Amino acid sequence: MAFIKASKPRAYFKRFQVKYKRRREGKTDYRARIRLINQDKNKYNTPKYRFVVRFTNKDIVAQIISSTISGDLVLASAYSHELPRYGLHVGLTNYAASYCTGLLLARRTLKKLEMDEEYEGNLEATGEDFSVEPGENRRPFRALLDVGLVRTTTGNRVFGALKGALDGGIDVPHSEKRFAGFSKDSKSLDAETHRKYIYGGHVAAYMGTLIEDEPEKYQTHFSEYIKKGIEAEGIEELYKKVHAAIRADPLEKKTAKPEPKQHKRFNLKKLTYEERKNKLIERLNAFNSAAQGDEDSDDE
């Protein structure tokens, strides 16, 4: 069979529609986004909130966001780089840190909305599934989980942040099937396994394994833990203290920034009209005085 070149006619290019910029960049799944932000028409301008979780190499970003026709609005946000203020200086991107970040965002949001006393959430993380029940005065704050482009596999860190938000008192529609410890065979959640991940038990187990089998690798992999004096036996107690500190003071602290220094100018300062006028008068006066001096010297 002869090779036939597939030529696209002029009509194809005339009708070609360029995709959205963030789709071209591979940043936004618009099929998922439109289902998350669509609001019922009879709810008018009521915001529909999303619990957005994103991961970078060194940070975890958790935000409560609502969409408007002019753009997205952020109600509250929390980051894992804030956790050192609560006593957690290492392991800021693992499952346990994701839980802490979700918990911090939940308590901060409810504090901002003055709902923190009515909805305290799950005070002790047992690993079991928890859902917020409606209170006497106000309905619980509801947000939909927005995972972005991440693959929603069982035990993903996104669901650690989700568990933290649930225990913090936010109502997020969910299923227990994606939490760490869910068994596909028994179709049930092993609460003990999930609790181990929340309190960093998987990290402690790996630390113990490396200490016995590969001590040199342990020195490099957990160098920051060693500097901070954190051992495998004390990790669970550390996370318990972090959870208590978050609940005690979830509000964001503004850091005092130093006054900016006087920058050196490499170009001339722009003069105002009056300054340019006065400068011209000075130059003319100087020129006239110099010319007068030359005339006097010639007369002599």
Side-chain angles (χ1 to χ4, degrees), residues 151-168:
R151 293 194 177 187
T152 53
T153 53
T154 301
N156 195 299
R157 293 175 296 170
V158 166
F159 302 108
L162 168 64
K163 177 60 176 168
L166 291 168
D167 287 355

Side-chain angles (χ1 to χ4, degrees), residues 118-232:
E118 186 173 0
Y119 293 100
E120 293 185 346
N122 189 13
L123 297 177
E124 184 179 357
T126 58
E128 297 178 356
D129 191 17
F130 176 80
S131 296
V132 181
E133 298 294 331
E136 297 179 359
N137 300 322
R138 300 169 67 178
R139 287 180 293 180
F141 181 84
R142 169 168 283 205
L144 305 179
L145 178 63
D146 184 342
V147 299
L149 300 175
V150 74
R151 293 194 177 187
T152 53
T153 53
T154 301
N156 195 299
R157 293 175 296 170
V158 166
F159 302 108
L162 168 64
K163 177 60 176 168
L166 291 168
D167 287 355
I170 288 182
D171 180 20
V172 184
H174 69 284
S175 169
E176 64 179 20
K177 291 183 179 180
R178 291 303 180 194
F179 289 139
F182 183 84
S183 174
K184 194 175 181 180
D185 299 327
S186 63
K187 295 183 179 179
S188 61
L189 176 66
D190 184 1
E192 194 60 36
T193 303
H194 194 199
R195 184 185 183 280
K196 182 183 79 170
Y197 275 82
I198 291 172
Y199 287 109
H202 59 300
V203 179
Y206 185 54
M207 289 175 71
T209 305
L210 283 185
I211 290 172
E212 294 178 2
D213 300 340
E214 301 177 77
E216 293 181 359
K217 189 176 180 181
Y218 170 76
Q219 295 291 331
T220 56
H221 271 52
F222 292 96
S223 58
E224 292 298 320
Y225 285 73
I226 295 170
K227 287 179 185 176
K228 301 292 182 182
I230 299 171
E231 298 179 353

Side-chain angles (χ1 to χ4, degrees), residues 97-112:
S98 302
Y99 178 90
C100 294
T101 309
L103 178 66
L104 176 60
L105 177 63
R107 299 313 301 164
R108 183 171 290 173
T109 304
L110 295 177
K111 186 83 172 178
K112 188 174 183 179

Side-chain angles (χ1 to χ4, degrees), residues 77 81-82 85-86 108 112 249-258:
S77 61
H81 67 246
E82 297 180 63
R85 183 160 69 90
Y86 299 100
R108 183 171 290 173
K112 188 174 183 179
D249 183 20
L251 293 179
E252 186 178 2
K253 299 291 184 186
K254 290 187 177 181
T255 55
K257 295 182 179 179

